[in-house]
Amino acid sequence: MTTVLTLKGTKKLLNAWAFYDWANSVYSLVISSAIFPIFYGALFRVEEIEKITVFGGEISRAPLISYVTSAAFIFIAIVTPLISGIADYLGNKRVFLKFFCYLGAASCIGLYWFSLENIYFGLICYFFGLVGFWVSFAINNSYLPDIAYPEQQDGISAKGFSLGYIGSVILLLFNLAMVMKPDIFGITDSGGEVAEIKAMKYSFVTVGIWWILFSQYTFMHLPKGYKREGERKNIVLNGFRELKSVWNQLGSELKLKRYLTAFFVYSMAVQTIMLIATYFGEEEINWGGDSERTTGLIVSILIIQVIAIGGAMLTAKASKRFGNINTLIVVNIFWVLLCVYAYFLQTPTDFYIAAGLVGIVMGGIQALSRSTYSKFLPETTDTTSFFSFYDVAEKIGIVIGTLMYGAVAQLTGSMRNSTIFLGVFFLIGAFLLLKVEKKK
């Protein structure tokens, strides 16, 4: 059987790895960022209610979905090292990549039945959609040092994000057409449900099908994974032991430790912005009406995606000329200025401009962060554990970031104040990056 070593660095393998971003990024765009937040808010507006009785008490719609999201990321932070330990010792992380891919895709299809009457089933599908996306994404990330040499990693990481942006934009445009002109697709009002809501449900199904269909190319070419030799006892807990081992190794890997600290801080802000941007735009921007709100939010997200395609590649080129750390410092400062600008947003035009600026650095900071981490790793075949550590740090940051964002918004009475709060994280991140050794 072909091994990782014989395949490493080949064009076919690199493209197959990057193509998983094409397959799964439709989830992060259509479900996390665009259609689902609008659909979720529309369900409550149609019923003319703000609260729902769930888990034995009444709760408002925004805190409900926020709490489910936080719970999902706590679960992800726990399950990722579990999977890491099992995959390393059995040498079959491709099997786990498939499982969580299919779990996420099936959950997206299940969102078709999301309703206030079936709120528990809907929330379960939303929960496992998040789990499937983020755990499979973490496993795919762990392949990067296995399939690409250090000098290839910036470019192929950026290519993956760019492919993801292109693919997700294509599907979102199709979904947008369904939502705005449902009659063209034969979608009409029926059963007390308006056509636009029904079209949004169909869009969730298209995400699941797209994800399953296009991931097959990745599964066809990615290697099964390294089989780690050693004792096979307690393999379920080995992932946590490996996290501890990675933590211990950081003591002698000062550059990697400093980079991870900086990444934890600024990634907390990046991921929080990705999760709350649509909710911020829905609440804080003066759209004028429900139709304008739906169209405006989706157009804004499209602007981010289209510009991010070039942004990721531009950042990769900048890293070649100026170095990864220097580029990340500049990107973080750019984010600080964006957060200050977001505080003053009022009109749809303001929001569109902000979306364009976000697009320049959104994909770039994610792609470059991933490849920089991969470059800083010590010589090891235990890449799954190191990337498990990376992803657990990211997910804990998301939980902290979203909770702190919500707390600031609640205490001050405005989501705008939270944007300044996030800007502080980027500023701290830039400062911590200055402490990382810049020379290879």
Side-chain angles (χ1 to χ4, degrees):
M1 187 176 69
T2 306
T3 67
V4 175
L5 290 177
T6 58
L7 289 171
K8 187 170 183 177
T10 60
K11 187 175 181 180
K12 180 179 287 187
L13 179 60
L14 295 177
N15 288 335
W17 176 84
F19 200 68
Y20 188 69
D21 279 20
W22 171 285
N24 77 342
S25 290
V26 292
Y27 170 85
S28 61
L29 180 59
V30 178
I31 305 295
S32 291
S33 301
I35 305 294
F36 182 78
I38 299 170
F39 165 80
Y40 180 74
L43 286 184
F44 284 83
R45 285 197 297 272
V46 167
E47 297 292 334
E48 298 182 344
I49 59 174
E50 279 296 321
K51 293 184 178 182
I52 187 171
T53 301
V54 64
F55 304 126
E58 273 199 340
I59 186 171
S60 298
R61 61 186 176 101
L64 174 60
I65 203 69
S66 177
Y67 294 150
V68 175
T69 301
S70 295
F73 279 111
I74 292 172
F75 181 82
I76 292 164
I78 294 172
V79 78
T80 301
L82 289 176
I83 298 304
S84 167
I86 297 172
D88 273 346
Y89 278 82
L90 300 183
N92 59 356
K93 62 182 176 183
R94 187 177 59 193
V95 170
F96 291 99
L97 177 61
K98 287 183 178 181
F99 174 79
F100 284 99
C101 165
Y102 296 147
L103 173 66
S107 298
C108 290
I109 295 172
L111 288 174
Y112 176 84
W113 291 277
F114 194 111
S115 67
L116 299 185
E117 292 75 21
N118 297 319
I119 190 66
Y120 292 108
F121 176 78
L123 292 176
I124 288 172
C125 288
Y126 175 78
F127 181 96
F128 282 109
L130 277 169
V131 171
F133 172 79
W134 284 103
V135 177
S136 68
F137 187 65
I139 297 171
N140 193 56
N141 279 348
S142 73
Y143 271 103
L144 182 55
D146 297 342
I147 57 97
Y149 293 105
E151 63 272 15
Q152 297 174 310
Q153 290 170 10
D154 286 344
I156 197 62
S157 182
K159 183 176 182 179
F161 275 98
S162 295
L163 282 172
Y165 289 132
I166 294 170
S168 55
V169 164
I170 291 172
L171 185 60
L172 182 59
L173 286 172
F174 177 73
N175 293 151
L176 177 60
M178 285 200 307
V179 173
M180 302 308 296
K181 299 290 183 181
D183 54 305
I184 296 178
F185 296 86
I187 305 173
T188 58
D189 297 353
S190 62
E193 189 173 56
V194 298
E196 288 80 4
I197 297 292
K198 191 178 294 185
M200 292 181 191
K201 289 185 174 183
Y202 283 127
S203 72
F204 304 150
V205 176
T206 65
V207 169
I209 294 173
W210 177 291
W211 194 351
I212 292 172
L213 179 65
F214 287 111
S215 63
Q216 299 310 307
Y217 180 72
T218 299
F219 299 153
M220 188 184 304
H221 296 287
L222 275 188
K224 184 178 180 182
Y226 281 109
K227 186 174 183 179
R228 183 168 178 174
E229 301 299 329
E231 193 175 4
R232 293 289 188 91
K233 295 180 180 179
N234 300 318
I235 62 173
V236 172
L237 297 178
N238 278 331
F240 292 101
R241 294 193 181 98
E242 288 169 7
L243 286 184
K244 184 178 179 181
S245 174
V246 170
W247 174 259
N248 291 335
Q249 290 183 61
L250 291 179
S252 59
E253 298 287 339
L254 185 60
K255 181 166 66 173
L256 180 61
K257 184 176 183 178
R258 287 177 174 176
Y259 172 71
L260 266 176
T261 304
F263 168 78
F264 177 80
V265 173
Y266 72 72
S267 177
M268 189 187 308
V270 172
Q271 298 299 333
T272 300
I273 288 173
M274 290 180 66
L275 289 168
I276 58 85
T278 304
Y279 298 99
F280 177 90
E282 184 185 38
E283 183 173 325
E284 297 291 342
I285 303 302
N286 302 319
W287 295 106
D290 288 343
S291 177
E292 291 81 0
R293 178 186 293 107
T294 299
T295 304
L297 289 172
I298 294 179
V299 167
S300 301
I301 293 162
L302 282 171
I303 291 172
I304 292 175
Q305 298 297 115
V306 171
I307 295 180
I309 296 168
M313 304 308 293
L314 181 65
T315 305
K317 289 183 178 180
S319 68
K320 285 185 178 180
R321 182 169 181 179
F322 303 107
N324 288 37
I325 298 301
N326 285 330
T327 303
L328 282 171
I329 290 171
V330 172
V331 170
N332 270 268
I333 296 300
F334 193 94
W335 273 109
V336 173
L337 300 175
L338 268 177
C339 289
V340 174
Y341 176 63
Y343 179 85
F344 298 99
L345 300 181
Q346 294 289 341
T347 68
T349 301
D350 295 337
F351 198 67
Y352 295 146
I353 293 172
L357 295 173
V358 166
I360 295 174
V361 288
M362 178 66 80
I365 196 169
Q366 291 178 283
L368 193 57
S369 294
R370 176 170 64 180
S371 60
T372 301
Y373 179 74
S374 181
K375 284 182 174 183
F376 286 173
L377 293 183
E379 289 293 330
T380 179
T381 59
D382 190 15
T383 55
T384 308
S385 292
F386 272 92
F387 268 93
S388 174
F389 191 93
Y390 176 88
D391 285 290
V392 167
E394 184 181 52
K395 302 312 168 291
I396 293 173
I398 291 173
V399 174
I400 296 172
T402 52
L403 288 177
M404 293 181 73
Y405 183 93
V408 172
Q410 184 177 357
L411 291 172
T412 63
S414 173
M415 295 177 74
R416 295 180 184 276
N417 297 319
S418 297
T419 64
I420 301 298
F421 182 73
L422 292 176
V424 173
F425 280 105
F426 285 116
L427 192 61
I428 296 172
F431 174 77
L432 292 173
L433 285 169
L434 288 170
K435 301 290 186 180
V436 180
E437 181 185 352
K438 299 185 181 66
K439 290 184 179 180
K440 189 174 178 180

